[in-house]
Amino acid sequence: MNAEHSEHALPTPHLDVVVQGSGPALLLAHGAGGGIAGNFGLVLDDLARDHTLIGPHYPGSGGSPAATEPLDLDVLADQLVAAAVAAGQESFAVLGESLGSAVAVRIATRHPARVGALVLTAGFPVADPVLALAARLVKSLAAAGRWEDVARLACVSCLSRTDLADLAPSDLDALVAETLAGMPPGMVDHFDLVSRADVRADLAKVSAPTLVVAPMGDRLVLPDSSYRLAAGIAGAELIELPGAAHILNEVDRMTWLRHVRAFLGALPLPAPVNSALRSAPAPPTPL
């Protein structure tokens, strides 16, 4: 079966979307409990200088309505592609962070003719033991109404040892409060999907050039998960960020940006998307 016949029909898009910049398109897939600004905010303006950024928010994040049933990886992947097409972008590279890496891989296998490249950061093909435990903790603490403890878990899991070691107790309390205030309504739904997402069988089917970025100080998604992504995707390039945490600080994000720009800059010009892909969208599929 060729790539053209592998394409899945697109739903009517209904996610809140950030669109910024001009040039070749980058579709942004954020992480669980995150958002476009939270995951990509440090580099949005830079990337938008010469790329069109399309950043959909998952259900219950940004301005997207919360899900009414458990999230489905296929449906979420199709919604992100539909958002890009609705923004006038028929083909794109996909930049996935954490859960967004699994979403990006699924996009690449469901819509291969549209995907020119993948950048997978702090990603996983299936939840490793640490991530699975964290997802279970998020769900159980939330069910008990212990949202401040969810914020504490997020802080200790997602920041680097160096960043945490330099915080005074009062600063740590402020960080927890800020994290609590920023947690989206869909956080539990996102982490429920984290616990179920499995793209191991997709990896061998990915044909797009792929860059895998492994933050080596990540305590939420183990670096081994990035190694497994890179090993499973033919020709994938692996970059390690020594000491970097799950959420990249400004210094590590600038290093990330340098590698990502070099990778994107070396890609061949995208081929025109076949007109058969521009068919009318399928009826909406509820999330």
Side-chain angles (χ1 to χ4, degrees):
M1 180 181 292
N2 62 33
E4 182 178 316
H5 292 143
S6 299
E7 295 290 330
H8 290 260
L10 295 179
T12 300
H14 62 254
L15 299 178
D16 170 47
V17 184
V18 173
V19 180
Q20 181 178 348
S22 61
L26 301 179
L27 177 58
L28 309 179
H30 67 75
I36 298 305
N39 282 164
F40 299 100
L42 291 174
V43 293
L44 286 177
D45 289 344
D46 187 286
L47 289 173
R49 289 189 292 108
D50 46 13
H51 291 86
T52 299
L53 309 182
I54 304 100
H57 287 102
Y58 302 164
S61 184
S64 295
T68 56
E69 59 185 60
L71 297 178
D72 178 271
L73 190 61
D74 286 350
V75 174
L76 187 57
D78 290 352
Q79 274 291 331
L80 263 66
V81 174
V85 172
Q89 304 299 326
E90 297 287 347
S91 62
F92 35 77
V94 188
L95 276 56
E97 303 253 337
S98 193
L99 172 60
S101 288
V103 176
V105 168
R106 185 57 54 85
I107 288 172
T109 57
R110 287 180 66 81
H111 305 276
R114 296 189 184 278
V115 177
L118 296 178
V119 177
L120 310 177
T121 303
F124 56 91
V126 68
D128 59 49
V130 170
L131 180 58
L133 286 172
R136 185 171 180 176
L137 276 172
V138 167
K139 291 190 287 183
S140 61
L141 290 171
R146 296 171 59 183
W147 288 102
E148 191 169 303
D149 286 335
V150 175
R152 291 191 179 97
L153 175 63
C155 290
V156 76
S157 300
C158 294
L159 299 182
S160 74
R161 294 168 55 189
T162 302
D163 290 340
L164 287 170
D166 291 341
L167 286 174
S170 59
D171 293 332
L172 182 57
D173 290 341
L175 178 63
V176 169
E178 181 181 354
T179 302
L180 178 62
M183 289 192 306
M187 184 162 183
V188 173
D189 293 326
H190 300 173
F191 274 93
D192 176 62
L193 181 57
V194 164
S195 69
R196 294 182 285 106
D198 187 346
V199 296
R200 287 175 291 184
D202 297 60
L203 300 183
K205 304 173 188 175
V206 174
S207 57
T210 301
L211 174 66
V212 177
V213 183
M216 299 305 292
D218 195 337
R219 295 196 300 278
L220 181 62
V221 178
L222 298 177
D224 290 48
S225 289
S226 288
Y227 297 159
R228 293 187 178 102
L229 284 174
I233 299 174
E237 178 183 354
L238 175 69
I239 296 292
E240 297 176 344
L241 297 182
H246 189 70
I247 294 179
L248 303 181
N249 62 24
E250 186 171 359
V251 172
D252 292 324
R253 184 57 84 176
M254 292 306 106
T255 303
W256 175 93
L257 180 63
R258 186 174 70 251
H259 287 300
V260 170
R261 278 199 165 278
F263 170 73
L264 295 175
L267 295 173
L269 292 175
V273 176
N274 192 293
S275 59
L277 299 180
R278 302 190 181 104
S279 56
T285 302
L287 287 174

